[in-house]
Amino acid sequence: PVEVRARSTLIGGRRLRLSASRDMTAYKTAEEALRSSEERFRLITENMGDLVCQADPMGRYLYTSPSFQRILGYDGNALLGTSVFEQIHPDDRREIMERFRKGFQMGQARETEYRSRHANGQYLWLRSTANFVYDSEGNPLFAVIATRDVTARREAEAALLESETKFRTLSENSAAAVFITQDDLFVYANATFQRLSGYDKEDLTRLKFWEIAHPDLRQTIRDRGYARWRGENEPTRYEAVILTKDGKAKWVDVSATLIEYRGRPATLGTGIDITESKQAEQQIKAALEEKEVLLREVHHRVKNNLQAIIYLIDSE
């Protein structure tokens, strides 16, 4: 490819055409590369799930990707020339404006989360990263902002936090000992469990769940826990003897079930101290055994006395 410039002129009474040609290969190659690059950029931005925009140093839209219509409900072209801060929640706006200003000053790309208003009036949580572009003299030109909708994640986190808050409120006020084990270790124990076992939270984080059991039961409890994790049919309620931190043996009525805790499998257990009822049961059992011995002795003596009376009657 060449560029040709020509004009007519009179020389010695004759009309001639004067032409000048310039090799345009490099220019055409660069032009084609730019066109190809712009086409790739268009295809990417039109089909990507995230929002992409350009904003000048004053925070006015210079470009918006088609995803603005799909995610935020706005016609991106209608936003051109307006402020990127208009849709941001009033409680978040000042902080985002300050970060945008400092970003141009320091040239640092920082991620930030904030609420932005949808065209229907509802607010979505967005996570944005800005990169700042300058001319050859260091003057700010524009910012390229990539934004992702993180509303679902924020709502899930809020629901999880609310759920955990409710669980802790109920657990910490429960008369039953409540605990969670994960990867063999205690990851949660309420105040009742700590009083029952004598171990505080820090102690329990270093204990495997079977180590608190009486030595005679540790292997059984360990095997049951592993079998339950494998999905095998194991009793969810049983009685066990634990050893407190000071070495006392206590009977506990235990219930255990599999749950998901912070995205991973775990066991939720509850325990009720039945030591007093077990001791009372043993006392009753001992009293019954004592009465049985007494009855056998009375029966034996009565039998002997009857035999003596029969003997005397027969003798007469």
Side-chain angles (χ1 to χ4, degrees):
V2 294
E3 178 187 59
V4 179
R5 295 177 180 272
R7 66 184 181 87
S8 297
T9 184
L10 286 173
I11 299 178
R14 300 176 59 193
R15 182 166 294 280
L16 303 177
R17 180 173 296 274
L18 179 63
S19 300
S21 299
R22 184 174 62 170
D23 184 358
M24 297 293 292
T25 304
Y27 174 82
K28 284 292 184 179
T29 300
E31 186 180 60
E32 178 59 25
L34 178 61
R35 188 197 63 77
S36 178
S37 175
E38 288 182 346
E39 179 65 15
R40 286 197 300 269
F41 175 76
R42 184 187 64 79
L43 289 174
I44 291 172
T45 56
E46 287 184 0
N47 293 280
M48 70 188 308
D50 294 344
L51 305 169
V52 177
C53 70
Q54 285 181 331
D56 66 18
M58 299 299 294
R60 293 180 295 240
Y61 284 110
L62 300 175
Y63 165 82
T64 59
S65 63
S67 49
F68 264 77
Q69 179 75 42
R70 177 171 51 81
I71 296 176
L72 290 176
Y74 297 104
D75 180 355
N77 291 329
L79 293 175
L80 298 181
T82 65
S83 172
V84 300
F85 308 115
E86 286 184 7
Q87 288 79 36
I88 295 178
H89 193 285
D91 293 345
D92 303 334
R93 189 176 299 153
R94 181 180 296 276
E95 178 184 355
I96 300 304
M97 292 176 68
E98 183 65 15
R99 289 194 176 194
F100 186 81
R101 183 184 65 80
K102 287 185 177 179
F104 266 115
Q105 289 179 349
M106 305 179 68
Q108 293 181 344
R110 297 185 59 186
E111 288 188 329
T112 184
E113 292 188 4
Y114 56 92
R115 289 160 292 180
S116 184
R117 188 177 64 249
H118 189 277
N120 62 14
Q122 296 180 340
Y123 280 94
L124 302 180
W125 277 99
L126 304 180
R127 183 176 184 84
S128 295
T129 302
N131 289 283
F132 304 96
V133 180
Y134 307 85
D135 62 19
S136 58
E137 297 180 356
N139 299 311
L141 293 177
F142 57 84
V144 179
I145 306 170
T147 303
R148 175 163 296 181
D149 181 3
V150 294
T151 305
R153 194 206 76 206
R154 294 290 296 232
E155 290 178 346
E157 289 176 351
L160 178 61
L161 178 60
E162 181 181 4
S163 176
E164 288 196 356
T165 300
K166 289 180 179 178
F167 168 77
R168 288 184 181 273
T169 300
L170 292 172
S171 174
E172 293 302 327
N173 292 280
S174 172
V178 181
F179 60 92
I180 297 175
T181 63
Q182 195 172 58
D183 297 333
D184 297 346
L185 299 173
F186 288 97
V187 294
Y188 171 78
N190 71 348
T192 305
F193 187 90
Q194 294 175 57
R195 288 193 298 269
L196 173 65
S197 65
Y199 293 99
D200 60 24
K201 291 181 180 180
E202 186 175 349
D203 293 330
L204 290 168
T205 58
R206 296 191 292 266
L207 285 175
K208 292 181 169 56
F209 68 88
W210 65 82
E211 291 179 333
I212 198 173
H214 190 280
D216 296 342
L217 296 174
R218 286 177 184 172
Q219 189 62 43
T220 300
I221 291 177
R222 181 177 182 271
D223 292 344
R224 279 183 174 178
Y226 284 175
R228 193 176 295 110
W229 290 342
R230 292 193 297 266
E232 298 176 13
N233 188 19
E234 282 292 322
T236 59
R237 183 173 179 180
Y238 56 90
E239 294 180 354
V241 180
I242 67 169
L243 287 183
T244 64
K245 188 175 182 179
D246 57 6
K248 294 179 181 178
K250 288 189 177 182
W251 278 92
V252 181
D253 185 344
V254 179
S255 295
T257 185
L258 291 179
I259 63 169
E260 185 175 290
Y261 182 69
R262 294 179 177 174
R264 298 175 52 230
T267 297
L268 170 64
T270 59
I272 299 176
D273 186 357
I274 57 172
T275 304
E276 290 185 1
S277 62
K278 278 291 183 180
Q279 290 173 346
E281 181 182 321
Q282 291 172 354
Q283 290 173 357
I284 293 171
K285 184 177 180 181
L288 286 174
E289 290 177 351
E290 184 180 344
K291 287 181 173 60
E292 288 178 358
V293 171
L294 180 59
L295 286 172
R296 284 196 298 270
E297 181 64 25
V298 170
H299 175 73
H300 179 69
R301 291 187 180 187
V302 170
K303 181 179 179 183
N304 288 343
N305 289 338
L306 287 174
Q307 287 177 344
I309 291 170
I310 293 171
Y311 176 74
L312 288 175
I313 293 174
D314 290 342
S315 299
E316 294 180 355

